Amino acid sequence: MPSTQQIEISNGTLSAEASSLSMEAGRQCRGKLWSNLRNVCELLHIPCAATIEDAGLLFHHVQFKAGQRIYTIGQGFDALYIVNSGFLKTVSIDEFGNEQVLSFPMKGDVIGVEGIAAKKYTSEAVALSDCSLILLPFQNLVELGRTHMEFEHAIYSVISRELVRNQAMVSMLGVLGAEARVARFLVSLSNRYAEIGYSKKSFNLRMTRQEIGSYLGLSMETVSRTLSLLSEIGLISVYQRAISINDGDLLKNLRRIPPSKLRSKQLVANARALDANWHGASSSAMIN
Amino acid sequence: MPSTQQIEISNGTLSAEASSLSMEAGRQCRGKLWSNLRNVCELLHIPCAATIEDAGLLFHHVQFKAGQRIYTIGQGFDALYIVNSGFLKTVSIDEFGNEQVLSFPMKGDVIGVEGIAAKKYTSEAVALSDCSLILLPFQNLVELGRTHMEFEHAIYSVISRELVRNQAMVSMLGVLGAEARVARFLVSLSNRYAEIGYSKKSFNLRMTRQEIGSYLGLSMETVSRTLSLLSEIGLISVYQRAISINDGDLLKNLRRIPPSKLRSKQLVANARALDANWHGASSSAMIN
DNA sequence: CGGGGTTTTGAGACCGGTCAAACGCCGTGG
DNA sequence: CCACGGCGTTTGACCGGTCTCAAAACCCCG
């Protein structure tokens, strides 16, 4: 009872849809219900020794509709989740109720790790689309790790990996300007989409400009303007939430433009000069 | 051989002093040489069941002079360190050699955690003062955890705690202005000093303005200016690297001033109005 | 077709970065 | 002992990136 999910709708657009389901038991099950250890290891990209495959262990699947909350701040921690499908965001909420987006988990990502220390979640996870998560009761994991050394190390790795990611984020926020942040964000998304089988060059944003801005430490308007700029320059194409990456390398290496005076048009020139694989008309054609 | 320390001097002020020692074996030992598990648990503020005290395990102490590097980026990971005494910084280095300060570890803090995932350190740790660290070979920890459940959880906690800290940092960088960042930085330092037995109200900064700026995502000049401002307002007193906190509560709750037009003098009024425990002359007296 | 939320775009203000100069602290060497 | 030089710090002037406020266009969905 205390550890069951409190399905609640987000302060978003989907209240009507979500409310029709919100009274169900927290961890509802639909579609495929269970995953074994092998599935879990595959999702996490960790080697799964055959020796531990035997363990009859099965992990529960949990389905969430867009807008639903997986866990909330302060809720007692007892499980991690692996994203099996769908897209989410994790947010912290400051002392005055302002949301701050911390990550955009997708297939293969683990959420809830920050709860281990205080035995409470310190952020909340919200489904941006319908999601299927794998429930990993933390005690089970620990016990499993105790009997299988290589799995134990996997647990440590997963946690530590989060740390590395956050450090990269801190570096980015501290050093890079708006253009570079947005550019890297897109490259990062592109790579992650590719990893899970989507197109690396063309994909849909699952989050609003607002959420991107919060994640990158920018205002919504700056995100929008920057996307427009990158599009004008031809590095990407934007049509609402659909993004096409026209030049990933240039995007990835885009740096702070403040130190120098080279601006917009100058950049276009640079882009054309530096990029052999230039797709002339594709970008502007798609935009207008 | 591959895992021994490569003692090198920092790009700092202490080159002459450090170089006289830099050729010694990496993990030199002086003063107290060993700590047992009880010591370790005390440092980490985790309960240490008497049952595991028996273990004859002793952990090596390692001494570093100011300016020396504890580990470097890319170096193979095999151990964590607990700070037993002294002050350090951890930094990442971006693709163009710019340092980015990630943390300022002090007594009781654990460093090296980010190395677990990739089995390589992804940042480097540098001593800001002479330091005594406790070497915790990671394999030993894991084995210890396997035999003692409560210690195992402690390991998970320590790692996860780092994650929570970084999330708070990301939130701060994303939302707060310069004054608030510096203010919170001081409050945070104050609290941490208090935890380890120093004065909560009056302490010395162990790092340069440059390093503070890097840590907070600000320029050195802005840090300096902001310290001056906070000092003028009377919230703190600054004399070189000596800091006095005159009003911790006000500091802690200081927020972004941009949204409104209330500036410097206005703030002084607010401060005087809100703070009952006002120390009239102390600040300005100490400054001029 | 209307309404709410999202996105775009503009104009202006302001914070913080950059460049530059001067000062103070401190160890070195004359 | 003092002069010198290096480094950290402070402060000023200026510029520019980003935020804020505002309005309009757009999309989705009922």
Side-chain angles (χ1 to χ4, degrees), chain B residues 7-228:
Chain B
I7 298 298
E8 295 181 18
I9 55 177
S10 81
N11 53 353
T13 60
L14 301 142
S15 48
E17 170 188 359
S19 61
S20 66
L21 291 154
S22 63
M23 290 303 119
E24 298 182 4
R27 289 161 175 162
Q28 62 276 64
C29 309
R30 259 174 266 118
K32 187 183 176 191
L33 292 183
W34 306 92
S35 278
N36 58 26
L37 243 192
R38 169 192 284 275
N39 300 140
V40 168
C41 289
E42 283 172 1
L43 270 174
L44 296 178
H45 300 111
I46 58 179
C48 175
T51 68
I52 63 177
E53 232 180 288
D54 54 356
L57 279 247
L58 289 181
F59 294 97
H60 212 132
H61 279 219
V62 199
Q63 313 290 138
F64 291 90
K65 304 289 283 186
Q68 287 184 321
R69 210 172 302 174
I70 284 69
Y71 52 77
T72 52
I73 297 176
Q75 177 181 334
F77 166 84
D78 60 347
L80 303 178
Y81 298 83
I82 302 178
V83 181
N84 185 49
S85 71
F87 299 88
L88 348 215
K89 66 173 176 181
T90 66
V91 304
S92 71
I93 301 189
D94 71 13
E95 50 238 297
F96 297 125
N98 308 312
E99 274 197 3
Q100 161 79 292
V101 175
L102 295 173
S103 66
F104 292 114
M106 57 177 74
K107 184 178 179 184
D109 291 330
V110 175
I111 61 178
V113 174
E114 6 77 43
I116 297 175
K119 296 189 176 172
K120 284 183 191 164
Y121 294 103
T122 59
S123 60
E124 54 182 65
V126 181
L128 294 178
S129 68
D130 291 3
C131 287
S132 162
L133 307 187
I134 301 176
L135 180 62
L136 304 175
F138 190 60
Q139 266 316 310
N140 294 14
L141 285 190
V142 171
E143 288 159 16
L144 209 54
R146 214 172 283 133
T147 54
H148 303 288
M149 282 183 42
E150 71 282 15
F151 190 74
E152 180 181 47
H153 187 73
I155 304 175
Y156 287 122
S157 282
V158 165
I159 305 178
S160 170
R161 201 185 304 167
E162 287 295 303
L163 198 55
V164 175
R165 223 180 260 178
N166 276 34
Q167 287 185 353
M169 184 57 103
V170 169
S171 288
M172 183 171 92
L173 293 179
V175 173
L176 298 182
E179 290 102 340
R181 292 190 204 179
V182 173
R184 295 199 180 197
F185 173 69
L186 293 176
V187 171
S188 164
L189 271 189
S190 166
N191 292 333
R192 294 169 70 200
Y193 276 124
E195 276 177 23
I196 63 177
Y198 288 82
S199 163
K200 191 186 183 70
K201 298 204 53 180
S202 177
F203 50 84
N204 285 305
L205 299 175
R206 300 322 213 278
M207 64 297 283
T208 66
R209 306 284 194 263
Q210 184 90 254
E211 288 163 338
I212 297 174
S214 171
Y215 178 67
L216 296 176
L218 299 171
S219 72
M220 174 196 65
E221 294 92 330
T222 298
V223 173
S224 176
R225 264 186 267 269
T226 305
L227 286 175
S228 298

Side-chain angles (χ1 to χ4, degrees), chain A:
Chain A
M1 183 76 72
S3 69
T4 52
Q5 285 305 126
Q6 1 171 349
I7 299 298
E8 296 181 17
I9 55 177
S10 80
N11 51 354
T13 59
L14 301 142
S15 48
E17 171 188 0
S19 61
S20 66
L21 291 153
S22 62
M23 290 302 120
E24 299 183 5
R27 289 158 175 163
Q28 61 278 62
C29 309
R30 258 175 265 117
K32 187 183 176 191
L33 292 183
W34 306 92
S35 278
N36 59 26
L37 243 190
R38 169 192 284 275
N39 299 141
V40 168
C41 289
E42 282 172 3
L43 269 174
L44 296 178
H45 299 113
I46 58 180
C48 176
T51 67
I52 62 178
E53 233 181 287
D54 55 356
L57 279 250
L58 288 181
F59 294 98
H60 213 131
H61 280 219
V62 199
Q63 313 290 139
F64 291 90
K65 304 289 282 186
Q68 287 184 320
R69 210 172 301 173
I70 284 70
Y71 52 78
T72 52
I73 296 177
Q75 177 181 334
F77 166 83
D78 61 344
L80 303 177
Y81 298 83
I82 302 178
V83 181
N84 184 48
S85 71
F87 299 87
L88 347 217
K89 65 174 177 181
T90 66
V91 303
S92 71
I93 301 190
D94 71 13
E95 50 239 296
F96 297 125
N98 308 312
E99 274 196 4
Q100 161 79 295
V101 175
L102 295 172
S103 67
F104 292 114
M106 57 177 76
K107 184 178 179 185
D109 292 330
V110 175
I111 61 177
V113 174
E114 7 75 44
I116 297 175
K119 296 189 176 174
K120 284 183 193 163
Y121 295 102
T122 60
S123 60
E124 54 182 64
V126 181
L128 294 177
S129 68
D130 291 3
C131 287
S132 161
L133 308 186
I134 301 177
L135 180 63
L136 304 175
F138 189 60
Q139 267 315 311
N140 293 14
L141 286 190
V142 171
E143 287 159 17
L144 208 56
R146 212 171 287 136
T147 54
H148 302 289
M149 280 184 43
E150 71 282 15
F151 189 74
E152 180 181 46
H153 187 72
I155 303 176
Y156 287 122
S157 282
V158 165
I159 305 179
S160 171
R161 201 185 305 167
E162 287 294 303
L163 199 55
V164 175
R165 223 180 261 176
N166 277 33
Q167 286 185 354
M169 184 57 105
V170 170
S171 288
M172 183 171 92
L173 292 179
V175 173
L176 299 181
E179 289 103 340
R181 293 189 204 179
V182 174
R184 294 197 180 199
F185 173 69
L186 293 176
V187 171
S188 164
L189 270 190
S190 166
N191 291 333
R192 294 169 69 199
Y193 277 124
E195 277 177 22
I196 63 177
Y198 287 83
S199 163
K200 190 186 183 69
K201 299 203 55 181
S202 178
F203 50 84
N204 285 305
L205 300 174
R206 301 322 214 275
M207 65 296 285
T208 66
R209 307 282 193 265
Q210 184 90 255
E211 288 162 339
I212 296 175
S214 170
Y215 178 67
L216 296 176
L218 300 171
S219 71
M220 175 196 64
E221 293 93 330
T222 297
V223 173
S224 175
R225 267 186 264 268
T226 304
L227 286 175
S228 298
L229 175 65
L230 293 176
S231 163
E232 286 171 20
I233 292 177
L235 295 185
I236 64 174
S237 303
V238 183
Y239 177 68
Q240 303 183 182
R241 296 203 183 172
I243 301 283
S244 281
I245 307 281
N246 294 329
D247 191 321
D249 288 333
L250 239 43
L251 264 192
K252 184 164 35 194
N253 298 122
L254 189 58
R255 277 209 139 264
R256 187 167 256 251
I257 331 277
S260 64
K261 305 89 175 54
L262 40 123
R263 279 245 56 78
S264 49
K265 298 181 178 177
Q266 189 86 10
L267 257 183
V268 184
N270 291 346
R272 291 185 179 275
L274 292 171
D275 182 18
N277 321 334
W278 182 260
H279 315 93
S282 66
S283 64
S284 45
M286 191 158 181
I287 278 294
N288 321 341

